[in-house]
């Protein structure tokens, strides 16, 4: 017989930060919790930066009527020259004091409030004031989290400044990563959003009640061990790997790419650099040349502007008529948002030329698709390093960060041929897919972690 305690429904609220990289795992977590009989209120900052974000949200709420939506109206945006997504993250942060009445008015009363790591320093004091347990969903890798937790200590110290690019960063004698992997804004002398967030939020997360990670034990064993053994930081709340967060039903819409249905299994390379990176025009054209020269079939998402609402230039203008004609023989170009879940799950897809945003890495693992890594910004070199070490893919380190050099078509073609022709990589990727499914399957490491969290919420 179950006690009345077990029967109590847990009710949690979720608040993401800006950008698809942050919204996507929050929506997936909301779907997962709903399937586990947890009542979810999803707080949506309004407005969003991109059209893709607002479409993902409305698609989600249409598919999951059980999830309550609460709009969180942000303060007016002050224009500045920073990255529009960082700008918006800052805006959400500065609007957070408006949350208390919203949270207190929710019924039944909340058992927990799960927020993005970029909001930790402003949200945690608010939840402490109303005695509401706060949890953090860290939307990048565990390896990135080792840096996040150490950065407040490292920032501005000789330990970091005096290192050469290839030197390994250490915290309390624990090796974290070579300096060359660190997101460039974190190494700048001047202030910027990322640096401030790593200092303020990285310091504050230890006051949360728990940290959830979209990763899985066998994928990031070492980093998780370093975190959980207290090697990186002592007195951390529990850190639980609950990933890969499975794509939710609202993402499984019909893919409009019937072309893929006619291609042989595993023969197509999917090319995308995520929702926030537009390559320079000359690099876009070299990439096109490379794709054609590689001889591989491909689906290529061309992104010409950082924010989709501004991406209105015709494809002809971006890559030229001649290239478009030559692409048609073996590939498909897409200039709108492409449903990545529907693409990666298609049997024709055999490889992924990816910037290695963390969701892309988890999705490639989930579907067992090998990665050819081309990190562009931020945490992506750290993630590419994980991909390479675990054997999910390869990474051409000499290509550098976005815009550091012009990578020529012939070089790109060569690397694509190597990746698509690598049989052992194909098999390794399928093994990782099995591990990923095991982790979230019944009794798997991620499944157990989530179950423990939910039973704690039920008792609150
Ligand atoms: C986006 C980005 C750059 C960048 C990161 C992004 C990360 C992820 C981890 O997500 O490093 C992280 C980001 C912000 C933060 C804390 C942790 O405040 O464009 O480096």
């Amino acid at each position: 017989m179950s006690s009345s305690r077990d029967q109590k429904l847990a009710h949690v609220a979720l608040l993401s930060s800006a950008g698809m990289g942050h919204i996507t795992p929050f929506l997936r977590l909301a779907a997962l919790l709903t399937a586990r009989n947890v009542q979810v209120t999803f707080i949506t900052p309004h407005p969003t930066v991109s059209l893709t974000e607002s479409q993902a949200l409305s698609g989600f709420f249409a598919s999951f009527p059980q999830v309550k939506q609460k709009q969180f109206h942000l303060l007016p945006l002050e224009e500045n020259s920073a990255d529009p997504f960082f700008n918006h993250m800052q805006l959400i942060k500065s609007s957070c004091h408006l949350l208390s009445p919203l949270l207190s008015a929710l019924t039944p009363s909340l058992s927990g409030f799960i927020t993005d790591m970029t909001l930790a320093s402003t949200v945690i004091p608010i939840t402490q004031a109303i005695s509401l347990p706060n949890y953090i969903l860290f939307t990048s890798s565990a390896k990135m989290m080792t840096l996040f937790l150490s950065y407040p200590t490292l920032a501005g110290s000789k330990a970091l400044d005096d290192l050469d690019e290839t030197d390994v960063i250490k915290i309390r004698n624990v090796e974290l990563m070579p300096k060359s992997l660190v997101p460039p804004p974190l190494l700048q002398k001047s202030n910027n959003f990322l640096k401030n967030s790593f200092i303020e939020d990285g310091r504050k997360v230890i006051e949360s009640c728990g940290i959830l990670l979209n990763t899985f034990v066998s994928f990031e064993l070492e980093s998780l061990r370093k975190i959980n053994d207290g090697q990186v930081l002592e007195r951390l709340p529990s850190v639980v790997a609950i990933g890969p967060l499975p794509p939710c039903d609202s993402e499984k819409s019909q893919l409009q790419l019937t072309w893929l249905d006619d291609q042989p299994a595993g023969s197509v390379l999917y090319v995308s650099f995520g929702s926030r990176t537009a390559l320079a025009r000359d690099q876009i054209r070299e990439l096109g040349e490379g794709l054609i020269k590689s001889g591989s079939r491909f689906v290529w998402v061309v992104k010409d502007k950082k924010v989709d609402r501004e991406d209105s230039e015709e494809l002809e203008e971006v890559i030229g008529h001649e290239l478009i004609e030559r692409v048609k023989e073996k590939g498909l170009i897409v200039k709108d948002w492409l449903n990545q879940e529907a693409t990666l799950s298609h049997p024709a897809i055999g490889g992924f030329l990816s910037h290695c945003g963390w969701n892309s890495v988890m999705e490639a693992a989930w579907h067992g698709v090998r990665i050819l890594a081309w990190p562009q910004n931020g945490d992506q070199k750290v993630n590419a390093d994980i991909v390479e070490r675990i054997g999910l893919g390869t990474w051409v380190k000499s290509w550098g960060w976005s815009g550091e050099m012009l990578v020529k078509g012939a070089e790109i073609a060569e690397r694509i041929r190597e990746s698509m022709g690598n049989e052992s990589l194909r098999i390794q990727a399928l093994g990782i897919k099995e591990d990923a499914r095991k982790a979230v399957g019944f009794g798997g490491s991620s499944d157990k972690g989530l179950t423990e969290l939910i039973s704690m919420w039920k008792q609150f």
Side-chain angles (χ1 to χ4, degrees):
M1 229 172 59
S2 55
S3 69
S4 58
R5 232 180 199 186
D6 290 336
Q7 313 232 328
K8 187 186 156 206
L9 269 189
H11 178 201
V12 296
L14 269 58
L15 173 65
S16 162
S17 187
M20 284 302 281
H22 297 260
I23 287 177
T24 303
F26 268 85
L27 291 178
R28 291 175 180 171
L29 178 59
L32 194 58
L33 292 174
T34 303
R36 300 280 197 105
N37 234 358
V38 173
Q39 190 176 331
V40 175
T41 296
F42 200 99
I43 302 173
T44 52
H46 183 80
T48 62
V49 184
S50 65
L51 203 55
T52 306
E53 292 166 83
S54 62
Q55 285 166 350
L57 290 167
S58 52
F60 177 85
F61 291 113
S63 298
F64 293 90
Q66 321 87 306
V67 176
K68 269 199 251 161
Q69 180 184 14
K70 272 275 165 215
Q71 277 211 348
F72 171 34
H73 292 273
L74 302 175
L75 295 168
L77 179 65
E78 274 177 42
E79 288 297 329
N80 72 37
S81 59
D83 173 292
F85 290 93
F86 281 157
N87 218 2
H88 218 76
M89 287 178 184
Q90 184 56 52
L91 178 64
I92 298 175
K93 235 178 164 173
S94 333
S95 306
C96 274
H97 60 282
L98 305 171
L99 280 172
S100 317
L102 194 156
L103 292 169
S104 304
L106 293 177
T107 52
S109 63
L110 292 172
S111 338
F113 184 32
I114 309 175
T115 50
D116 193 276
M117 70 278 194
T118 62
L119 305 174
S121 59
T122 44
V123 165
I124 289 175
I126 291 166
T127 53
Q128 283 169 340
I130 55 173
S131 302
L132 174 61
N134 174 265
Y135 295 82
I136 300 294
L137 174 60
F138 191 85
T139 62
S140 185
S141 51
K143 184 160 187 153
M144 198 60 207
M145 197 168 118
T146 64
L147 184 64
F148 183 64
L149 296 173
S150 319
Y151 191 77
T153 313
L154 293 170
S157 73
K158 286 208 174 304
L160 192 58
D161 291 349
D162 289 354
L163 296 182
D164 288 333
E165 277 284 285
T166 52
D167 289 344
V168 173
I169 301 173
K170 286 189 193 158
I171 180 107
R172 309 153 83 207
N173 273 332
V174 178
E175 296 197 342
L176 298 183
M177 61 188 70
K179 188 172 170 181
S180 59
L181 300 184
V182 172
L186 296 182
L187 299 174
Q188 280 171 13
K189 290 263 173 282
S190 55
N191 268 352
N192 58 65
F193 174 82
L194 201 66
K195 218 173 134 172
N196 291 340
S197 166
F198 267 63
I199 293 173
E200 293 165 5
D201 302 317
R203 216 172 253 149
K204 202 69 184 175
V205 286
I206 55 166
E207 292 179 40
S208 73
C209 299
I211 304 174
L212 286 56
L213 275 164
N214 182 18
T215 190
F216 55 111
V217 173
S218 64
F219 202 71
E220 288 205 84
L221 193 59
E222 247 192 72
S223 298
L224 287 168
R225 199 175 276 157
K226 279 181 199 162
I227 295 169
N228 281 321
D229 289 355
Q231 294 181 48
V232 181
L233 208 61
E234 281 167 0
R235 292 196 307 275
L236 267 180
S238 71
V239 176
V240 194
I242 58 163
L245 290 165
C248 47
D249 285 344
S250 55
E251 297 176 62
K252 293 184 179 130
S253 66
Q254 283 295 310
L255 185 64
Q256 298 307 309
L257 302 181
T258 49
W259 178 85
L260 271 182
D261 299 338
D262 300 326
Q263 312 306 317
S267 70
V268 179
L269 176 74
Y270 164 54
V271 184
S272 170
F273 296 93
S275 58
R276 287 174 60 176
T277 299
L279 298 182
R281 289 264 175 102
D282 53 356
Q283 187 62 80
I284 294 178
R285 291 181 187 213
E286 286 295 335
L287 174 56
E289 288 294 339
L291 289 168
I292 294 165
K293 281 202 187 99
S294 75
S296 177
R297 296 179 175 80
F298 57 89
V299 173
W300 176 22
V301 181
V302 172
K303 193 169 161 63
D304 184 47
K305 293 269 159 48
K306 209 170 214 176
V307 177
D308 57 9
R309 297 187 213 268
E310 294 156 14
D311 206 336
S312 54
E313 202 80 81
E314 292 297 324
L315 193 55
E316 292 240 340
E317 192 59 40
V318 181
I319 67 171
H321 179 72
E322 190 234 3
L323 197 56
I324 294 179
E325 286 305 309
R326 286 163 60 217
V327 158
K328 277 183 189 159
E329 284 170 37
K330 282 220 139 170
L332 200 66
I333 310 182
V334 179
K335 196 163 166 287
D336 300 317
W337 172 257
L338 185 64
N339 182 327
Q340 181 151 298
E341 159 56 21
T343 308
L344 282 174
S345 63
H346 197 288
I349 297 296
F352 184 9
L353 175 53
S354 170
H355 69 311
C356 290
W358 190 244
N359 293 305
S360 290
V361 172
M362 280 297 104
E363 288 159 15
W366 184 249
H367 291 294
V369 175
R370 86 198 77 170
I371 287 180
L372 174 54
W374 191 353
Q376 302 287 324
N377 297 299
D379 54 347
Q380 296 156 17
K381 279 194 183 179
V382 175
N383 302 343
D385 179 69
I386 299 167
V387 165
E388 190 181 55
R389 282 167 189 271
I390 200 84
L392 180 60
T394 48
W395 170 25
V396 192
K397 297 188 184 64
S398 60
W399 290 357
W401 293 110
S402 190
E404 260 184 344
M405 63 179 288
L406 181 64
V407 183
K408 291 294 199 181
E411 158 88 359
I412 297 170
E414 184 58 34
R415 300 310 185 152
I416 292 174
R417 276 196 294 267
E418 275 170 19
S419 171
M420 292 302 275
N422 188 334
E423 181 62 10
S424 54
L425 211 50
R426 185 184 73 82
I427 293 167
Q428 273 162 216
L430 288 176
I432 290 168
K433 171 181 173 174
E434 263 181 45
D435 295 342
R437 308 269 168 154
K438 254 188 224 153
V440 299
F442 186 72
S445 53
S446 296
D447 175 63
K448 278 194 200 150
L450 189 64
T451 302
E452 277 166 29
L453 279 167
I454 294 174
S455 58
M456 203 158 60
W457 292 332
K458 277 189 185 162
Q459 285 164 26
F460 180 72

